[in-house]
Amino acid sequence: MIYRFRIILDTEEDVFRDIEIEQDATLEQFHNVITQSFGFDGTEMASFYISDDQWTQGEEISLFDMSDGSQPVRLMNETSLIDVVNESSPKLIYVYDFLSMWTFLVELAEIAEYEGGMEYPNVMFVHGQLPDTAPDKEFKADSGDFDEEDEGFMDLDEYDDLGFDENWN
């Protein structure tokens, strides 16, 4: 089967690509098609995140294993599209270049049959130009995430209690 995706840059302007790719392709292959279709050189770190209907960022699937080994990490080259995307869970978030934070909303639009004579992956449609710089992101915590009355919250203005020598260098 063929998965048809719409990959939308998270920005006010309409910038997206429609891509079709085999369902058993790896996320690394999908990453390569996305970077090429948007004109990136593909040399930066990237990750996919499983997402729900509200675009909540879930489990990370990374291009490289950057962990310390204490937690198992799913890697793009070991994970097929069919393993993470289906009709009941059609959304992913894709982040390219963690310094610039190019963020894309990836949604499965259709599952189709192979078309004879067609080569996959295939960029079906291109709309909009990539801006010169990544759109600004507003990072915010949910209310209550940093409650000052919480026992674990430390007021950093009270640095005397941090327990280190001021002349440590």
Side-chain angles (χ1 to χ4, degrees), residues 15-26:
V15 179
F16 63 88
R17 307 291 183 260
D18 290 345
I19 295 173
E20 52 187 5
I21 188 169
E22 290 124 332
Q23 68 181 6
D24 58 349
T26 66

Side-chain angles (χ1 to χ4, degrees), residues 12-98:
E12 290 184 27
E13 300 82 32
D14 288 338
V15 179
F16 63 88
R17 307 291 183 260
D18 290 345
I19 295 173
E20 52 187 5
I21 188 169
E22 290 124 332
Q23 68 181 6
D24 58 349
T26 66
L27 286 176
E28 183 176 29
Q29 292 168 315
F30 193 36
H31 150 79
N32 290 333
V33 174
I34 292 171
T35 57
Q36 291 169 12
S37 73
F38 281 95
F40 294 117
D41 61 12
T43 60
E44 300 297 333
M45 184 62 187
S47 286
F48 283 97
Y49 298 88
I50 296 174
S51 179
D52 62 16
D53 287 337
Q54 287 74 43
W55 295 106
T56 305
Q57 184 173 306
E59 178 189 3
E60 179 180 14
I61 303 167
S62 182
L63 185 58
F64 302 109
D65 186 353
M66 303 292 283
S67 71
D68 59 4
S70 63
Q71 294 270 4
V73 176
R74 286 177 79 178
L75 298 176
M76 288 185 200
N77 66 345
E78 300 171 350
T79 307
S80 298
L81 281 167
I82 197 169
D83 294 337
V84 293
V85 178
N86 55 56
E87 289 175 329
S88 64
S89 179
K91 296 181 179 182
L92 297 169
I93 298 170
Y94 172 70
V95 178
Y96 177 77
D97 184 355
F98 290 125

